[in-house]
Amino acid sequence: MVAKASAAFVAAIVSVCTALPAGAAGIRHTSEYSVSLGILPVARMSFASEFNEKSYTINGSFRSAGLVDVIAKTSAETTVKGSMGNDRLQANSYTLVYTTKKKTQTYDVQYRNGNVVSTTVKPEPKARPASWVPIGDGDLRAVLDPLSGMIFPADAKICPGRLPIYDGESRLDLVLTAKGTEKFSTSGFKGDAIVCSIRYVPKSGYRKGRKDIEYLKTVSMEVWFAKADGANVYAPVYAYIPTRMGPLYVKATKYGG
């Protein structure tokens, strides 16, 4: 799960920043997460956000850990800026700088009213194989970025059915179904979390027949959303993602502050 597509998918599942009330100006919020493959730690993530009355900025970082850090050191820095809405956060720009070993890739996506107006990838991708599923113009309309796409105002439906995600390379849908509630506690939070099952549906921007993608299409994942103390939104605090190498767990070690 250290390849770029896998890391982007984890980011889509755990785009984990808690917004603060739309009326609060210039308030900063941080959250931290551990990622483990079974009992083995594989990564750490942290996110910080600032929310003004009508806009927001989220900055996130991803760092490989444990044995993965020895075998294939991986890191990512990401930033999203956008506007606050009544039922969702809508990005204006999304940037991901992804580094594995000595190779760095930068993805920059610009949105307008939920539609992608430009995508810049540096260095430019190599020629795609014949099995590549290309992205069509229709795939880039009414989409969400991987970070703010899974943050929900308290009045919105927490398991909204389908989230159309675009990360600068791949277009995918996350299909959510409500499963009830579970107790969850960590630094900064203790209470009920809303549980959603998630199904991964690749749309375009990927190689057809790729084993990890084909596997994800067949399994059911799970994500838990909790309401931030003093904030009028829900964001993920826990995720379970089956992989071909074993179960991947993402857990908030700090939620708020």
Side-chain angles (χ1 to χ4, degrees):
M1 293 293 288
V2 294
K4 187 263 171 186
S6 298
F9 177 61
V10 171
I13 294 290
V14 292
S15 42
V16 285
C17 230
T18 44
L20 293 166
I27 300 176
R28 185 178 177 85
H29 181 93
T30 61
S31 295
E32 298 174 359
Y33 297 79
S34 65
V35 183
S36 61
L37 184 64
I39 63 172
L40 299 176
V42 295
R44 296 183 298 271
M45 297 187 296
S46 62
F47 294 83
S49 60
E50 287 192 13
F51 282 76
N52 294 300
E53 185 174 356
K54 295 182 179 180
S55 64
Y56 68 93
T57 300
I58 301 171
N59 293 294
S61 67
F62 174 96
R63 297 286 184 275
S64 57
L67 185 61
V68 172
D69 203 41
V70 176
I71 298 173
K73 189 172 184 178
T74 303
S75 65
E77 303 289 338
T78 184
T79 299
V80 58
K81 297 182 180 181
S83 303
M84 301 286 291
N86 293 327
D87 60 349
R88 66 177 44 178
L89 278 61
Q90 183 64 66
N92 297 323
S93 64
Y94 165 79
T95 301
L96 171 69
V97 181
Y98 178 83
T99 301
T100 181
K101 296 182 180 180
K102 295 183 178 180
K103 181 181 179 181
T104 297
Q105 292 177 292
T106 301
Y107 301 81
D108 181 85
V109 184
Q110 300 295 315
Y111 303 81
R112 184 179 298 122
N113 298 323
N115 300 322
V116 175
V117 294
S118 69
T119 299
T120 303
V121 182
K122 296 181 179 179
E124 292 186 5
K126 296 179 180 180
R128 302 299 193 183
S131 58
W132 189 262
V133 181
I135 293 178
D137 290 341
D139 294 329
L140 301 180
R141 299 192 184 103
V143 295
L144 303 167
D145 70 279
L147 287 181
S148 46
M150 289 184 69
I151 301 172
F152 304 110
D155 294 337
K157 184 178 181 181
I158 307 305
C159 296
R162 185 178 294 265
L163 296 174
I165 303 293
Y166 176 67
D167 65 3
E169 179 176 77
S170 302
R171 170 69 175 83
L172 59 97
D173 282 349
L174 298 177
V175 181
L176 283 69
T177 304
K179 291 185 64 176
T181 62
E182 292 282 355
K183 297 291 184 183
F184 183 84
S185 64
T186 192
S187 175
F189 178 85
K190 183 177 182 180
D192 290 333
I194 296 175
V195 180
C196 303
S197 66
I198 292 185
R199 189 164 52 87
Y200 171 81
V201 182
K203 304 292 288 185
S204 56
Y206 71 99
R207 178 170 57 83
K208 192 173 184 179
R210 180 171 165 170
K211 290 182 179 180
D212 55 351
I213 291 179
E214 292 301 315
Y215 179 81
L216 285 173
K217 288 165 58 177
T218 68
V219 299
S220 178
M221 294 157 278
E222 195 169 277
V223 63
W224 300 8
F225 294 91
K227 189 176 181 181
D229 186 26
N232 201 31
V233 300
Y234 282 81
V237 290
Y238 172 84
Y240 161 72
I241 307 168
T243 77
R244 295 170 63 230
M245 296 180 291
L248 191 74
Y249 300 99
V250 183
K251 183 180 179 181
T253 57
K254 178 184 178 182
Y255 191 69

